[in-house]
Amino acid sequence: MDIASVVGLLAAFGLILVAILIAPGSSLMAFIDVPSLLVVCGGALAACLIAFPLKSMLAMPMTIKVVFLNKAVDYGALIKQIVSLAETARRDGLLALENRIGEIDNPFIITGIQMAVDGTRPDAIEDIMRTEMDAVSTRHRDAKAVSDQMGRFAPAYGMIGTLLGLIIMLGNMSDPSSIGSGMAVALLTTLYGAVVSNVLFLPFSEKLGFLNKQELLGMEIVIRGIMSIQSGENPRVIEQKLRTFLPPSVRAKMDADK
């Protein structure tokens, strides 16, 4: 569970709710309007259906799930595992790594080690692994794009809903006392559009982008490590090389854990 995502979402909606409840003369029911919600959410979803293939839209629930359920990459553990494999390769030879594949839980490392053990050329190993890395980046970018567009379409449909409400209100000016309430309902769609965009989909998009960077950095560390193992570099040199990807705080923690 990504605690930051949960706390942030609850805090955002909680602050809005508190602001409504403590405002003098305000009522929570005055901020609930089903037609406005349908225009914003339904309109943004419909626009995304036009902009993206159905497959991308059906994958959207799983994409949002990643925002709340994800596992942070442990770069320190990743480097330790690569260094351990390097020590085995230096001590017993590259072929000895085949016996350790069963204890590796990272599929990307397994791919690289298997190719190295099979005697694949170094340039081919790097090319294949970077191609897979690019494919992962592309899939993540496509998933993020749906959330990005939902965040852009929602305020636009909020404005469309407001215009619709104003047209309906101005078309029925026979009762001046209803103008105030009609204007309030018309403005609700703008509010809904801003909330859906800035509380939900744009933050979701940013979190997906952050997670993508984390995963790609882990894959880059693996590629550099596998190539160093394949070339027979000293395990200590490999460790120092891979540690350069990490911030000083993470390096200090790795040193403390030794």
Side-chain angles (χ1 to χ4, degrees):
M1 178 69 71
D2 191 321
I3 301 299
S5 295
V6 176
V7 171
L9 190 63
L10 292 177
F13 279 112
L15 290 170
I16 294 173
L17 180 61
V18 169
I20 292 173
L21 294 177
I22 65 176
S26 67
S27 168
L28 182 60
M29 293 305 298
F31 288 86
I32 299 176
D33 186 66
V34 175
S36 297
L37 194 60
L38 289 175
V39 169
V40 172
C41 296
L45 185 61
C48 280
L49 282 169
I50 298 171
F52 297 97
L54 183 60
K55 182 179 179 180
S56 297
M57 297 304 298
L58 293 177
M60 191 176 173
M62 290 302 298
T63 301
I64 295 176
K65 179 182 176 182
V66 172
V67 174
F68 298 98
L69 298 173
N70 58 77
K71 185 177 181 181
V73 180
D74 189 342
Y75 300 119
L78 187 63
I79 292 175
K80 285 181 181 179
Q81 185 170 50
I82 292 173
V83 171
S84 175
L85 293 171
E87 290 171 345
T88 298
R90 189 172 179 84
R91 182 178 61 250
D92 302 323
L94 200 59
L95 293 178
L97 294 178
E98 189 167 16
N99 297 326
R100 298 196 55 186
I101 289 179
E103 65 187 61
I104 303 172
D105 57 2
N106 187 318
F108 199 53
I109 296 179
I110 293 175
T111 298
I113 292 296
Q114 191 65 65
M115 287 190 293
V117 169
D118 291 342
T120 308
R121 297 192 322 275
D123 58 333
I125 294 176
E126 184 170 11
D127 183 59
I128 292 171
M129 296 187 76
R130 290 203 178 278
T131 299
E132 183 170 345
M133 184 176 173
D134 290 341
V136 169
S137 178
T138 299
R139 288 196 299 271
H140 290 177
R141 184 173 63 249
D142 291 344
K144 181 178 180 295
V146 177
S147 186
D148 275 331
Q149 291 303 321
M150 283 290 290
R152 293 189 179 97
F153 287 141
Y157 275 90
M159 183 58 66
I160 290 172
T162 295
L163 294 174
L164 290 173
L166 289 174
I167 292 170
I168 294 172
M169 183 191 71
L170 293 174
N172 185 22
M173 296 290 287
S174 57
D175 184 8
S177 63
S178 66
I179 294 177
S181 59
M183 178 68 77
V185 172
L187 291 175
L188 274 179
T189 51
T190 298
L191 174 63
Y192 287 166
V195 170
V196 169
S197 175
N198 295 287
V199 177
L200 297 176
F201 289 105
L202 290 183
F204 288 173
S205 178
E206 291 300 315
K207 176 55 73 72
L208 291 171
F210 175 77
L211 295 174
N212 176 58
K213 290 179 182 178
Q214 278 196 320
E215 184 170 351
L216 293 183
L217 177 57
M219 297 180 79
E220 181 65 31
I221 290 174
V222 170
I223 292 174
R224 299 292 183 92
I226 295 297
M227 299 311 300
S228 297
I229 292 174
Q230 206 274 342
S231 62
E233 292 184 15
N234 187 294
R236 301 282 76 80
V237 173
I238 295 176
E239 182 178 12
Q240 291 302 318
K241 180 188 295 185
L242 299 183
R243 280 164 60 100
T244 59
F245 287 97
L246 307 181
S249 59
V250 179
R251 298 183 204 179
K253 184 178 182 301
M254 288 179 63
D255 293 335
D257 293 340
K258 285 184 178 180

